[in-house]
Amino acid sequence: MSQGGLALASVRYAFGRGDRAVLDEITLQVPTGGVLVVRGPNGSGKTTLLRLAAGILRPASGTVQRPRPVGYQPQVAGEPPPRTAAGSWLTTIVRMRGHTDGAVGIGLLEQLGVRPELPLAACSRGTLAKVLVAAALAGPPELVVLDEPFAALDDAARSTAAAMVRRAADDGGSVLLADHSEHLDVLGARTVQLRDGRLVEWAAPQGPPTWRLVTVGPDGVEQVRIVARADRDRTLLDVLRAGGEVRRVERWP
């Protein structure tokens, strides 16, 4: 595997010519075996940074050096083909990554509690998130880029997925991820924060943690709530019991 890991140097990115830079003078390194967590509020540029790291976007200036192959997990909005079974889709992804044994990722699916024969069209948001995480980690790739991998998972799956991420790093991969999960402590990761388009060291907020919950009621109306840690699980359970859907759970701020 590559000894250099992931390196971004003086990277700048704007969505259009003449637009204000979303990211400016971004310099970071994720060495082989390392895990870097990026935090920041919605709209701070986390997803853009991850796409630059994975090679999906090109910087306006600066350089990105990455090991290959790359395992990238988008947020659930980037969905795989709905008529394919989870195992078949994952097998195809692994073969595209250069592995002759396309079934190498099936074990990851099963560890996350997903049946390989399950059609993707029948997957809940949480189950689809598990499939995308398994696809990013299968191989394993030399660079793993994860966009909020734990947000849509239940507690048991979060713990399992966190252990998988740590294992990917221990096996010699470089891991860059954006998330607000309390499970990040087990990763032994360095944490940085995006602020005004630049990276700064993360300073943990003082006092009891709060959580931002994005839910949809049975009437289809989206609701955003900031709740205390003690009220998080009860609030989510009330939403599900009422026939609603949980779209996002993230630590706040």
Side-chain angles (χ1 to χ4, degrees):
M1 286 192 172
S2 170
Q3 297 300 310
L6 172 70
L8 279 69
S10 301
V11 166
R12 181 183 183 276
Y13 185 83
F15 289 112
R17 186 182 298 274
D19 288 351
R20 183 178 68 87
V22 178
L23 301 173
D24 196 18
E25 290 297 318
I26 298 294
T27 295
L28 65 83
Q29 289 186 322
V30 187
T32 298
V35 182
L36 180 66
V37 177
V38 181
R39 292 181 181 268
N42 287 346
S44 61
K46 298 189 301 298
T47 293
T48 300
L49 175 59
L50 297 187
R51 288 175 175 172
L52 287 164
I56 297 169
L57 296 177
R58 282 186 170 184
S61 60
T63 61
V64 180
Q65 295 182 345
R66 67 183 66 84
R68 300 178 187 276
V70 178
Y72 173 65
Q73 172 254 320
Q75 294 186 34
V76 175
E79 299 177 1
R83 296 185 180 181
T84 307
S88 298
W89 181 76
L90 184 56
T91 295
T92 301
I93 293 296
V94 171
R95 285 176 175 163
M96 290 173 62
R97 202 167 282 158
H99 287 268
T100 56
D101 181 7
V104 69
I106 299 300
L108 297 181
L109 275 183
E110 294 174 338
Q111 288 179 52
L112 289 168
V114 180
R115 292 181 290 108
E117 68 274 15
L118 181 69
L120 291 173
C123 289
S124 66
R125 183 174 183 272
T127 301
L128 185 56
K130 295 175 184 179
V131 176
L132 294 174
V133 168
L137 295 172
E142 293 193 23
L143 172 62
V144 178
V145 181
L146 306 170
D147 197 348
E148 302 202 18
F150 310 120
L153 305 183
D154 55 72
D155 284 344
R158 284 176 189 155
S159 296
T160 300
M164 289 178 174
V165 172
R166 182 63 258 175
R167 193 177 309 122
D170 290 342
D171 287 344
S174 302
V175 180
L176 176 67
L177 65 93
D179 208 277
H180 299 275
S181 171
E182 59 188 0
H183 289 70
L184 297 180
D185 291 343
V186 305
L187 298 179
R190 177 187 170 212
T191 302
V192 295
Q193 181 180 15
L194 272 172
R195 182 184 300 162
D196 298 325
R198 295 175 181 265
L199 282 179
V200 297
E201 291 296 325
W202 167 253
Q206 302 299 312
T210 55
W211 292 80
R212 180 176 181 269
L213 313 180
V214 181
T215 62
V216 177
D219 56 358
V221 176
E222 184 175 278
Q223 184 173 4
V224 179
R225 283 173 280 199
I226 307 298
V227 301
R229 170 65 181 87
D231 298 327
R232 184 193 65 179
D233 293 345
R234 176 183 55 79
T235 303
L236 294 174
L237 185 59
D238 288 345
V239 170
L240 295 174
R241 283 175 172 169
E245 176 187 352
V246 177
R247 289 195 171 170
R248 187 183 296 274
V249 178
E250 59 187 14
R251 193 158 179 168
W252 189 261

